[in-house]
């Protein structure tokens, strides 16, 4: 009993501050925030890979490997990031077709997952041209899905 | 030449939309956004573990294992998430002591990394009481750092 109370106090404390920073978000708003955060972390790791592929940043095989592994770890987490109650909530750019055209959307998401797994294989080879080609393939999977399922602003 | 141009067009297209959604963020703002996103993804996975430890959600060993692995994967990424130019930028709650008291901050961050690694060991055991204890230890690492290095609002 005493133990349970202590645990509850601990977790209340961890999440209390987050909640007090703004009005308590709804479940859908929290889901959108989680989804956008996941994309931000994926994008933040993809960005330097894109810059290497473009020649805007010196190629670094070790860094490319770390970034590739992160993207391949994070991409499958997107499968849980589109729950039904996050459709049309808040400042989302996610089109309703994600939910109404779910079979096609899942194929597009699977393409990202598959290509990011292939990116890791390329990154493990250390071969610059293979890595850059795999970055490009992964980028096409990003763009393919954005073009179809993200609102243009 | 033609190939390079195509690559550049692809990456420009991927990131263009993100940029057009708001004024182009500064480097520091992008860093804060990345850091907060990383915490949101960690928190989104820690939240159900906390709820299981509190008894607010039924204990699920398989889900706990997945969540633990994600947190242990993501926590070390925080080591790169406090670059100097993100100090005091935008809506950050990160106190300047993170940068001025960096040795102590790094110890607090390392505690999270170590405890989330121990959480994975506990999760792999499948033992409910060990997992709940490890969740509590991980939560204490979160709270310890928040109490010291996050602005109270």
């Amino acid at each position: 009993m005493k133990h349970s109370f202590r645990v509850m106090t601990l977790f209340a404390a961890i999440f209390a501050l987050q909640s007090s920073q703004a009005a308590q978000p709804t479940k859908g708003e929290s889901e959108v925030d989680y989804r956008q955060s996941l994309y931000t972390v994926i994008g933040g790791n993809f960005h330097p890979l894109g810059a290497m592929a473009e020649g805007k940043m010196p190629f670094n095989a070790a860094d490319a490997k770390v970034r590739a592994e992160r993207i391949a770890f994070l991409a499958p987490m997107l499968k849980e990031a589109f729950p039904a109650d996050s459709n049309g909530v808040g400042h989302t750019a996610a089109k309703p077709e994600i939910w109404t055209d779910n079979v096609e959307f899942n194929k597009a998401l699977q393409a990202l997952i598959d290509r990011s797994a292939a990116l890791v294989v390329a990154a493990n080879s250390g071969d610059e041209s293979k890595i850059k080609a795999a970055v490009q393939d992964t980028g096409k999977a990003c763009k393919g899905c954005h073009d179809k399922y993200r609102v243009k602003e």
Side-chain angles (χ1 to χ4, degrees), chain A residues 8-25:
Chain A
M8 208 173 301
T9 307
L10 171 67
F11 293 109
I14 294 170
F15 296 109
L17 189 58
Q18 293 184 332
S19 307
S20 75
Q21 285 174 339
Q24 184 74 27

Side-chain angles (χ1 to χ4, degrees), chain A residues 42 45-47 49-50 53 67-68 71-72 75 108-123 130-146:
Chain A
I42 292 171
N45 284 283
F46 192 72
H47 203 278
L49 291 175
R67 305 281 183 191
I71 294 164
L109 181 49
Q110 192 59 46
L112 172 66
I113 295 167
D114 294 345
R115 288 181 192 186
S116 60
L119 177 60
V120 172
V121 174
K130 279 186 190 168
I131 296 170
K132 288 184 172 179
V135 168
Q136 202 183 352
D137 283 346
T138 307
K140 283 179 186 166
C142 298
K143 187 178 182 302
C145 203
H146 293 175

Side-chain angles (χ1 to χ4, degrees), chain A residues 1-152:
Chain A
M1 197 66 174
K2 201 175 176 186
H3 175 80
S4 294
F5 178 73
R6 213 179 52 219
V7 173
M8 208 173 301
T9 307
L10 171 67
F11 293 109
I14 294 170
F15 296 109
L17 189 58
Q18 293 184 332
S19 307
S20 75
Q21 285 174 339
Q24 184 74 27
T26 64
K27 185 165 175 282
E29 284 167 350
S30 294
E31 289 165 353
V32 170
D33 188 28
Y34 180 83
R35 174 166 74 231
Q36 291 177 342
S37 295
L38 199 45
Y39 276 112
T40 297
V41 179
I42 292 171
N45 284 283
F46 192 72
H47 203 278
L49 291 175
M52 287 182 207
E54 281 179 6
K56 286 188 179 173
M57 186 185 281
F59 177 74
N60 179 323
D63 189 48
K65 188 173 180 304
V66 168
R67 305 281 183 191
E69 284 167 354
R70 290 175 179 174
I71 294 164
F73 187 92
L74 294 162
M77 291 169 64
L78 290 169
K79 289 201 276 189
E80 298 161 22
F82 292 88
D85 28 4
S86 68
N87 182 358
V89 171
H91 298 290
T92 182
K95 288 189 185 175
E97 286 80 355
I98 289 169
W99 291 272
T100 55
D101 183 26
N102 198 246
V103 173
E104 286 306 307
F105 173 73
N106 285 339
K107 281 185 201 166
L109 181 49
Q110 192 59 46
L112 172 66
I113 295 167
D114 294 345
R115 288 181 192 186
S116 60
L119 177 60
V120 172
V121 174
N124 285 336
S125 78
D127 180 314
E128 182 172 341
S129 63
K130 279 186 190 168
I131 296 170
K132 288 184 172 179
V135 168
Q136 202 183 352
D137 283 346
T138 307
K140 283 179 186 166
C142 298
K143 187 178 182 302
C145 203
H146 293 175
D147 286 350
K148 205 165 170 185
Y149 296 107
R150 192 161 72 160
V151 175
K152 286 182 181 58

